Amino acid sequence: MGYQHILVSAEEKIGILRMNRPNVLNALNQVSMEEIVHALEAFDADDSISCIVLTGSEKAWAAGADITEMADATAIEMLYRDQFAQWERIKRIHKPIIGAVSGYALGGGCELAMLCDILIASETAKFGQPEIRVGVIPGAGGTQRLTRIVGKSRAMEMVLTGEMMSADEAYQRGLVSKVVPVEVVVDEAVALARRIASQPPLAVRLAKESVLKAYETSLSEGLEFERKNFYLLFASEDQKEGMQAFKEKRDPRWQGK
Ligand code: CO8
């Protein structure tokens, strides 16, 4: 598939997807969302790829859903567009997605960032849910995910005023893992992706599922889910290899089975 609004590349085991609609600060229209989901699913299905890095430009990760595309829509048209079916597909990507965020991550852009598994921000990153300023509210998870990450009071303040959060505050509040200079944000994300890609793929997959489960369930159900995945890994050759290699004081050779 030839892409219009994204650039896709691969480096060793890392798939890199760059949002690329510079004229509108990477605003997410229907085509760009289709392309992002298509590329993520292609990386997920590609055995040569272990981890995915999603990024934008220095000025903008993504400044939200494309306002011009939505401005004249009726509620029924919005419903039939069923855009959120695509967002649901991003939730089902098995491989870890690391977001490298510079500049504006607003509205749908902030929501897309929060769908990533790990975020690395540059010092210029700004996160916000400014939908209120254009007469709506977040629609792709902002009221739910932001609240779970930064807490009710700060999330409420951001959603009700549309004001942005700096990269430093995002780090202090646990929205991102690390803040780095803008020139190295993608390199940092790729280096992290490489470290993850050197781990056993099955365990990475089940670890991601288990951590995400913590958002969806009670503690007891989450613990049960974790335990089942833990037991399941004892059926893998990689578990035997990993523990044998430890005993023999050598590096393990992972097979992903
Ligand atoms: N949609 C469409 N175009 C945009 C968007 C956007 N979200 N953001 C910026 N642009 C365009 C501008 O219109 C401008 O175009 P032009 O040059 O043709 O006038 C160009 O990008 C550059 O923008 P600015 O000149 O405004 O740049 P500034 O540096 O002055 O300001 C800001 C940057 C502060 C980011 C500003 O552009 C802004 O406020 N943008 C809108 C942010 C916003 O409100 N985002 C939320 C949108 S609603 C939403 O995301 C709902 C999510 C629902 C779920 C998702 C479904 C897909």
Side-chain angles (χ1 to χ4, degrees), residues 23-25 27-28 33 59 63-68 70 83-84 87 104 106-109 111 130-131 134 136-140 164:
N23 296 342
V24 287
L25 304 178
L28 301 163
M33 282 310 299
K59 179 148 193 219
D66 189 322
I67 296 173
T68 48
M70 292 184 293
Q83 287 160 284
F84 300 112
W87 293 74
Y104 298 112
L106 303 178
E111 291 166 314
E131 289 90 341
V134 289
V136 289
I137 65 168
M164 299 180 211

Side-chain angles (χ1 to χ4, degrees), residues 69-131:
E69 194 182 64
M70 292 184 293
D72 298 323
T74 66
I76 305 302
E77 280 164 4
M78 287 299 281
L79 185 146
Y80 279 123
R81 279 184 197 174
D82 197 20
Q83 287 160 284
F84 300 112
Q86 287 169 326
W87 293 74
E88 290 298 314
R89 281 162 61 192
I90 299 176
K91 271 171 56 186
R92 291 196 290 272
I93 301 291
H94 297 295
K95 291 173 186 164
I97 305 174
I98 301 173
V101 183
S102 280
Y104 298 112
L106 303 178
C110 187
E111 291 166 314
L112 181 62
M114 289 189 289
L115 264 181
C116 294
D117 299 305
I118 303 174
L119 290 177
I120 307 287
S122 85
E123 291 153 347
T124 65
K126 294 179 196 67
F127 298 87
Q129 299 289 165
E131 289 90 341

Side-chain angles (χ1 to χ4, degrees), residues 85-247:
Q86 287 169 326
W87 293 74
E88 290 298 314
R89 281 162 61 192
I90 299 176
K91 271 171 56 186
R92 291 196 290 272
I93 301 291
H94 297 295
K95 291 173 186 164
I97 305 174
I98 301 173
V101 183
S102 280
Y104 298 112
L106 303 178
C110 187
E111 291 166 314
L112 181 62
M114 289 189 289
L115 264 181
C116 294
D117 299 305
I118 303 174
L119 290 177
I120 307 287
S122 85
E123 291 153 347
T124 65
K126 294 179 196 67
F127 298 87
Q129 299 289 165
E131 289 90 341
I132 197 110
R133 296 181 179 191
V134 289
V136 289
I137 65 168
T143 63
Q144 303 305 298
R145 289 203 176 88
L146 189 64
T147 306
R148 280 167 164 79
I149 298 166
V150 305
K152 174 183 147 189
S153 181
R154 189 68 177 111
M156 192 70 90
E157 197 182 340
M158 288 175 71
V159 169
L160 297 187
T161 65
E163 288 164 10
M164 299 180 211
M165 178 187 276
S166 68
D168 278 342
E169 185 183 348
Y171 173 70
Q172 281 155 24
R173 293 182 181 274
L175 176 58
V176 307
S177 290
K178 197 172 184 182
V179 181
V180 298
V182 65
E183 327 69 82
V184 298
V185 67
V186 175
D187 293 344
E188 284 280 338
V190 169
L192 174 58
R194 289 230 168 83
R195 300 206 300 280
I196 295 170
S198 71
Q199 306 303 326
L202 268 176
V204 167
R205 175 170 169 155
L206 296 187
K208 168 172 167 163
E209 272 180 26
S210 301
V211 172
L212 289 178
K213 197 73 174 174
Y215 276 99
E216 305 281 352
T217 189
S218 69
L219 180 59
S220 326
E221 283 172 12
L223 290 171
E224 195 57 38
F225 185 83
E226 177 191 81
R227 209 165 289 148
K228 292 273 162 58
N229 279 341
F230 175 74
Y231 293 146
L232 182 57
L233 286 166
F234 282 78
S236 72
E237 289 179 24
D238 283 347
Q239 175 269 325
K240 302 288 174 268
E241 165 66 7
M243 296 193 179
Q244 193 60 34
F246 176 81
K247 289 199 295 182

Side-chain angles (χ1 to χ4, degrees), residues 2-21:
Y3 296 123
Q4 221 182 312
H5 299 318
I6 63 170
L7 301 171
V8 168
S9 59
E11 278 181 27
E12 293 172 31
K13 296 160 100 181
I14 315 304
I16 303 173
L17 193 169
R18 186 182 285 277
M19 294 178 272
N20 186 39
R21 277 190 92 203

